[in-house]
């Protein structure tokens, strides 16, 4: 009898732990720091695969694709080779969340070098520093991927 109670308690603990793990939110930050369409597309492929994986498990995932340095071209309105994919991915992710973070330090440097204002794609959010943004996300427990 005592063994059955112990086994039942152990099984309950395993099931409860599994249920808690399923409730844990998933967060991933993906870095893009190269002006290379292959790297940009790989980052978008990674995000798509993560979204589809957790959607199949009925779990939400938050994704932040952070572009800085030469990778900012991914989010520039005038030079992005992946604007259409960004728009489609933004529509696909619901009910999860995806953010595209554009480094303001890089944006300002490009504006100074090019002598004109630079706009980012409508789906992007400007963050003060891409590197600092990645650090802070990791400090908050986000996973990190560099394609």
């Amino acid at each position: 009898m005592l063994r059955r109670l112990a086994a039942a308690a152990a099984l309950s603990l395993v099931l409860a732990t599994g249920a808690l793990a399923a409730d844990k939110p998933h967060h991933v930050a993906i870095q893009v720091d190269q002006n290379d369409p292959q790297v940009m597309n790989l980052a978008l492929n990674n995000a798509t695969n993560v979204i589809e994986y957790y959607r199949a498990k009925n779990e939400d995932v938050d994704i932040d694709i952070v572009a800085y340095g030469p990778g900012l071209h991914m989010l520039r309105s005038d030079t992005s080779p992946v604007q259409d994919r960004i728009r489609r991915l933004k529509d696909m992710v619901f009910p999860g969340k995806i953010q595209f973070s554009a480094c303001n330090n890089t944006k300002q440097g490009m504006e100074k070098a090019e002598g004109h204002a630079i706009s980012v794609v409508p789906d992007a959010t400007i963050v003060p520093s891409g590197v600092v943004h990645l650090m802070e996300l990791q400090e908050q427990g986000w996973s990190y991927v560099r394609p």
Side-chain angles (χ1 to χ4, degrees):
M1 178 73 163
L2 190 55
R3 282 187 185 166
R4 284 187 183 172
L5 285 174
L11 182 59
S12 296
L13 184 60
V14 168
L15 292 175
T17 303
L20 289 175
D23 290 340
K24 178 185 174 215
H26 305 284
H27 307 284
V28 64
I30 302 174
Q31 169 183 323
V32 176
D33 65 352
Q34 298 175 54
N35 184 13
D36 180 344
Q38 287 183 313
V39 171
M40 295 172 192
N41 277 298
L42 182 56
L44 294 171
N45 291 345
N46 291 163
T48 301
N49 292 340
V50 168
I51 292 163
E52 290 174 351
Y53 176 83
Y54 284 112
R55 180 172 286 148
K57 295 177 72 169
N58 283 329
E59 297 177 29
D60 291 338
V61 61
D62 293 337
I63 299 172
D64 195 337
I65 297 179
V66 183
Y68 65 90
L72 185 64
H73 285 280
M74 177 181 191
L75 301 178
R76 282 182 58 162
S77 298
D78 60 342
T79 60
S80 175
V82 292
Q83 287 186 61
D84 291 338
R85 283 200 69 195
I86 289 171
R87 199 172 312 111
R88 286 194 309 269
L89 189 56
K90 190 89 171 184
D91 293 339
M92 171 195 161
V93 75
F94 185 82
K97 186 178 98 178
I98 190 163
Q99 177 171 313
F100 296 91
S101 296
C103 176
N104 195 46
N105 285 339
T106 300
K107 181 179 175 289
Q108 289 177 342
M110 287 180 173
E111 288 174 340
K112 185 175 180 181
E114 295 177 26
H116 61 86
I118 292 171
S119 62
V120 296
V121 297
D123 293 311
T125 300
I126 296 175
V127 296
S129 167
V131 172
V132 171
H133 186 64
L134 282 169
M135 288 172 52
E136 291 175 347
L137 290 174
Q138 289 178 78
E139 289 167 354
Q140 295 168 22
W142 284 56
S143 299
Y144 165 80
V145 174
R146 182 174 187 247

